[in-house]
Amino acid sequence: MSSFAQRIVIIGGGVAGSSTLRSLSAHAGALKTLLEAETRLGGRTGARSVTITGTDAEVSFDSGAQYFTARSPAFKSLLCEARREAWVAPYQDFARIGAIDSARNTL
């Protein structure tokens, strides 16, 4: 009798896909594949860098969720682990908050 290894494909490396892969990491024997279209994980969350037209100035900014709320014990536990591993951190550099005026290409 032949046995087949279980194969799991997760589409998207955003918060949901990455969390699913993490949850399945204890699933020994299963071949897990994460498919992501972008060059980085994070989905709609992350940071972007742009160069201001006509200058060499490059600015970085957070994109995606401005904040999130942890209500469920499971999510709170995941966030505690993520903080211990330095995957996430509270934002504290409020002096760097600004806006990009796309019409004028200025900060």
Side-chain angles (χ1 to χ4, degrees), residues 64-103:
Q66 290 83 11
Y67 63 89
F68 53 84
T69 303
R71 290 192 178 98
S72 75
F75 190 47
K76 288 178 183 179
S77 175
L78 178 64
L79 285 177
C80 286
E81 180 181 345
R83 285 191 68 188
R84 280 193 305 274
E85 296 292 332
W87 298 333
V88 298
Y91 187 79
Q92 297 178 2
D93 193 3
F94 294 103
R96 295 185 60 194
I97 294 176
I100 296 175
D101 183 339
S102 60

Side-chain angles (χ1 to χ4, degrees), residues 40 43-50 59-63:
R40 62 169 186 76
R44 292 190 174 112
T45 62
R48 304 282 191 268
S49 295
V50 295
V59 294
S60 294
F61 58 93
D62 292 333
S63 60

Side-chain angles (χ1 to χ4, degrees), residues 5-71:
Q6 188 176 19
R7 299 183 77 168
I8 300 169
V9 177
I10 301 164
I11 300 173
V15 173
S18 298
S19 296
T20 300
L21 180 63
R22 182 187 172 280
S23 295
L24 293 172
S25 65
H27 209 358
L31 175 63
K32 297 165 277 293
T33 303
L34 177 71
L35 302 176
E36 172 55 48
E38 299 293 328
T39 58
R40 62 169 186 76
L41 297 176
R44 292 190 174 112
T45 62
R48 304 282 191 268
S49 295
V50 295
T51 302
I52 298 180
T53 305
T55 73
D56 291 331
E58 184 173 270
V59 294
S60 294
F61 58 93
D62 292 333
S63 60
Q66 290 83 11
Y67 63 89
F68 53 84
T69 303
R71 290 192 178 98

